[in-house]
């Protein structure tokens, strides 16, 4: 039989447990983060985007990088039709100088994102589209998209991309409606949050390869060599997103912007004049010298992924047969190099520490 003196203790205990459960539930709620708008756009197949804007102004005044009010129409991952007010601006130094159509950055209003249940922090996204209306420009966009997908095969520490069929309608009536294959690039802060990264506190004025996590740096450098990309460097964080991943002593460097890669072979791409190559299709290794055998594990990763990388190209239904052949042939050249101890030594393991600061 329970005495009356015990009842107050039981009441206190029940109250304490109730408070703890409520606190735990409230804490759990706080830990659940909202999804991003990008997550609602990601689909297995191609995403149809229809942009209504002053397209003539965007093209004519691309150097001003003025934000232009626009309307974006699309269907989200659930199939729901969305008409969203956005702002757009031209971006990309080299492409603006060489392309009729500049790459675009999309800005979603933060208030709209919050009201729709999305994280307002991630509200701007790069949209890469064709450069001109001539030749194989859309094929080049698709090749660059595949370069991103190849790096995703190698590591989760990579930018996500969404393939797009883009229609841009000019509300001024002065510019023809444009259609192009394109792709959306994950927001860089969103990428950092996804991989549990945080902003890097740099005490040194200039980063060096020694400041980057070695295994990830080597993977990234060999990948850049595979696709024939030399338009990157650590010192200026050129075409690299540097982020500190929780649990790692050193930050990692995640590559982006592959339009200068040999596997893409854009008509405006050229190697830096400080490099001993004449065209971007020539591979040149910009990785770091390591002790003997250090690259063995990294090279094996690429050998293990060879079939998946080649199949990615072969099975990509939006790319023409000739472009597929060109990409596969270029990739086979890389796998031939890493399959030969002599060529591997000449072109990678002993052709190292040649980073140049690309201004």
């Amino acid at each position: 039989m329970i005495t009356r003196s015990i009842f107050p203790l039981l009441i206190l205990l029940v109250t304490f447990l109730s408070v703890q459960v409520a606190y735990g539930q409230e804490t759990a709620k706080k830990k659940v983060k909202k999804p991003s708008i990008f997550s609602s756009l990601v689909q297995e197949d191609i995403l149809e985007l229809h942009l209504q804007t002053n397209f003539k102004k965007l093209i004519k005044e691309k150097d001003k990088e003025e934000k232009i009010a626009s309307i974006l129409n699309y269907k989200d991952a659930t199939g729901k039709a969305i008409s969203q007010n956005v702002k757009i601006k031209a971006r990309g130094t080299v492409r603006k100088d060489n392309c009729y159509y500049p790459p675009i950055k999309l800005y979603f209003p933060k208030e709209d994102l919050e009201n729709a249940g999305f994280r307002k922090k991630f509200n701007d996204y790069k949209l890469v589209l064709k450069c001109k209306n001539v030749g194989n420009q859309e094929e080049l966009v698709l090749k660059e998209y595949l370069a991103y997908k190849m790096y995703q095969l190698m590591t989760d520490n990579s930018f996500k991309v969404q393939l797009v069929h883009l229609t841009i309608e000019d509300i001024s009536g002065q510019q023809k409606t444009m259609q192009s294959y394109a792709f959306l690039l994950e927001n860089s802060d969103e990428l950092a949050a996804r991989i549990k990264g945080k902003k890097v506190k740099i005490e040194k004025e200039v980063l060096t390869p020694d400041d980057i996590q070695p295994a990830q740096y080597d993977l990234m450098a060999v990948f850049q060599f595979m696709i024939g990309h030399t338009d990157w460097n650590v010192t200026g964080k050129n075409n690299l997103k540097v982020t500190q991943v929780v649990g790692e002593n050193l930050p990692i460097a995640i590559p982006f912007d592959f339009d200068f890669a040999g596997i893409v072979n854009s008509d405006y791409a050229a190697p830096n004049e400080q490099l001993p190559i004449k065209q971007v299709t020539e591979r040149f290794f910009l990785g770091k010298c390591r002790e003997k055998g250090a690259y063995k594990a990294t090279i094996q990763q690429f050998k293990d992924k060879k079939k998946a990388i080649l199949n990615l190209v072969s099975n990509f239904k939006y790319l023409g047969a000739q472009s597929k052949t060109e990409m596969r042939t270029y990739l086979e050249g890389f796998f031939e190099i890493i399959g030969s101890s002599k060529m591997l030594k000449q072109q990678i393991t002993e052709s190292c520490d040649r980073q140049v600061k690309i201004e």
Side-chain angles (χ1 to χ4, degrees):
M1 183 175 180
I2 302 174
T3 64
R4 290 184 180 181
S5 61
I6 295 178
F7 278 112
L9 293 175
L10 289 174
I11 293 171
L12 283 173
L13 179 60
V14 171
T15 303
F16 173 78
L17 291 174
S18 298
V19 170
Q20 291 299 307
V21 170
Y23 176 79
Q25 290 175 341
E26 184 63 28
T27 302
K29 286 180 182 178
K30 288 180 180 179
K31 288 182 179 179
V32 176
K33 292 184 177 180
K34 296 177 181 178
S36 70
I37 183 68
F38 186 77
S39 67
S40 77
L41 297 172
V42 172
Q43 303 177 14
E44 285 294 325
D45 204 358
I46 199 165
L47 170 68
E48 294 282 346
L49 290 184
H50 187 114
L51 188 62
Q52 295 171 294
T53 188
N54 191 329
F55 197 25
K56 184 71 175 179
K57 179 182 178 69
L58 178 76
I59 294 170
K60 188 176 180 180
E61 301 178 8
K62 55 189 173 185
D63 290 332
K64 293 183 179 180
E65 295 192 359
E66 177 186 343
K67 290 182 181 178
I68 301 172
S70 311
I71 299 175
L72 184 67
N73 299 289
Y74 62 94
K75 289 184 179 180
D76 66 15
T78 67
K80 181 182 178 182
I82 306 291
S83 184
Q84 172 68 54
N85 289 321
V86 296
K87 289 185 177 180
I88 67 171
K89 77 170 185 178
R91 54 164 291 272
T93 304
V94 175
R95 296 196 211 202
K96 278 193 302 181
D97 290 342
N98 291 276
C99 297
Y100 182 69
Y101 302 121
I104 290 170
K105 181 168 275 192
L106 284 171
Y107 294 86
F108 291 84
K110 291 187 176 183
E111 184 178 354
D112 288 359
L113 292 180
E114 190 169 36
N115 291 338
F118 296 116
R119 291 189 69 178
K120 64 180 181 179
K121 180 180 179 181
F122 311 133
N123 76 312
D124 57 283
Y125 295 89
K126 294 177 181 178
L127 179 61
V128 181
L129 58 149
K130 67 182 178 182
C131 177
K132 305 169 188 173
N133 256 335
V134 296
N136 64 338
Q137 296 297 313
E138 287 190 78
E139 298 272 291
L140 301 180
V141 173
L142 295 173
K143 286 181 176 181
E144 186 178 2
Y145 165 80
L146 285 176
Y148 281 97
K149 299 298 286 185
M150 288 176 200
Y151 198 56
Q152 285 181 33
L153 288 174
M154 302 306 305
T155 175
D156 290 333
N157 295 330
S158 54
F159 279 95
K160 288 185 177 182
V161 284
Q162 172 60 46
L163 185 63
V164 168
H165 182 262
L166 177 67
T167 301
I168 303 183
E169 178 186 349
D170 181 41
I171 59 174
S172 73
Q174 299 178 44
Q175 183 73 33
K176 288 183 179 180
T177 296
M178 186 222 69
Q179 293 188 332
S180 171
Y181 285 120
F183 61 86
L184 278 169
L185 191 67
E186 184 179 22
N187 177 287
S188 60
D189 290 331
E190 184 176 347
L191 161 63
R194 174 170 58 82
I195 64 174
K196 297 181 180 179
K198 59 184 180 180
K199 189 174 181 180
V200 178
K201 293 181 180 178
I202 303 173
E203 296 179 0
K204 299 166 63 175
E205 289 186 8
V206 178
L207 280 176
T208 71
D210 290 329
D211 300 314
I212 306 297
Q213 200 274 327
Q216 186 276 332
Y217 183 86
D218 293 347
L219 179 74
M220 182 270 296
V222 174
F223 173 79
Q224 302 272 32
F225 179 78
M226 181 182 79
I227 65 171
H229 191 225
T230 57
D231 187 26
W232 65 276
N233 68 83
V234 174
T235 54
K237 291 187 287 185
N238 181 45
N239 291 331
L240 296 175
K241 165 69 176 179
V242 179
T243 188
Q244 180 75 52
V245 178
V246 175
E248 296 286 350
N249 292 328
L250 294 171
I252 62 173
I254 304 170
F256 62 90
D257 274 6
F258 302 124
D259 56 316
F260 268 55
I263 202 167
V264 176
N265 199 19
S266 303
D267 53 9
Y268 56 80
N272 186 276
E273 59 186 19
Q274 297 178 59
L275 298 175
I277 55 176
K278 300 299 181 184
Q279 49 193 359
V280 293
T281 50
E282 296 178 63
R283 288 187 173 91
F284 189 79
F285 188 58
L286 294 178
K288 181 166 176 56
C289 291
R290 304 288 188 194
E291 69 239 18
K292 187 176 181 180
Y295 275 100
K296 185 176 180 180
T298 302
I299 296 301
Q300 188 60 49
Q301 285 181 267
F302 284 89
K303 289 180 178 179
D304 292 343
K305 292 291 185 179
K306 176 180 177 180
K307 184 177 180 180
I309 290 170
L310 294 176
N311 284 344
L312 177 67
V313 176
S314 297
N315 299 331
F316 188 58
K317 62 184 179 181
Y318 298 104
L319 198 63
Q322 182 178 340
S323 290
K324 285 184 181 182
T325 299
E326 290 170 355
M327 290 191 80
R328 283 185 60 97
T329 300
Y330 195 78
L331 290 166
E332 289 284 8
F334 165 76
F335 287 111
E336 182 182 359
I337 291 169
I338 66 172
S340 163
S341 57
K342 182 179 179 180
M343 287 193 288
L344 178 62
K345 185 177 179 181
Q346 288 176 339
Q347 298 195 45
I348 296 181
T349 59
E350 291 190 0
S351 179
C352 46
D353 281 351
R354 299 190 184 185
Q355 274 251 335
V356 295
K357 187 174 181 180
I358 302 174
E359 300 295 342

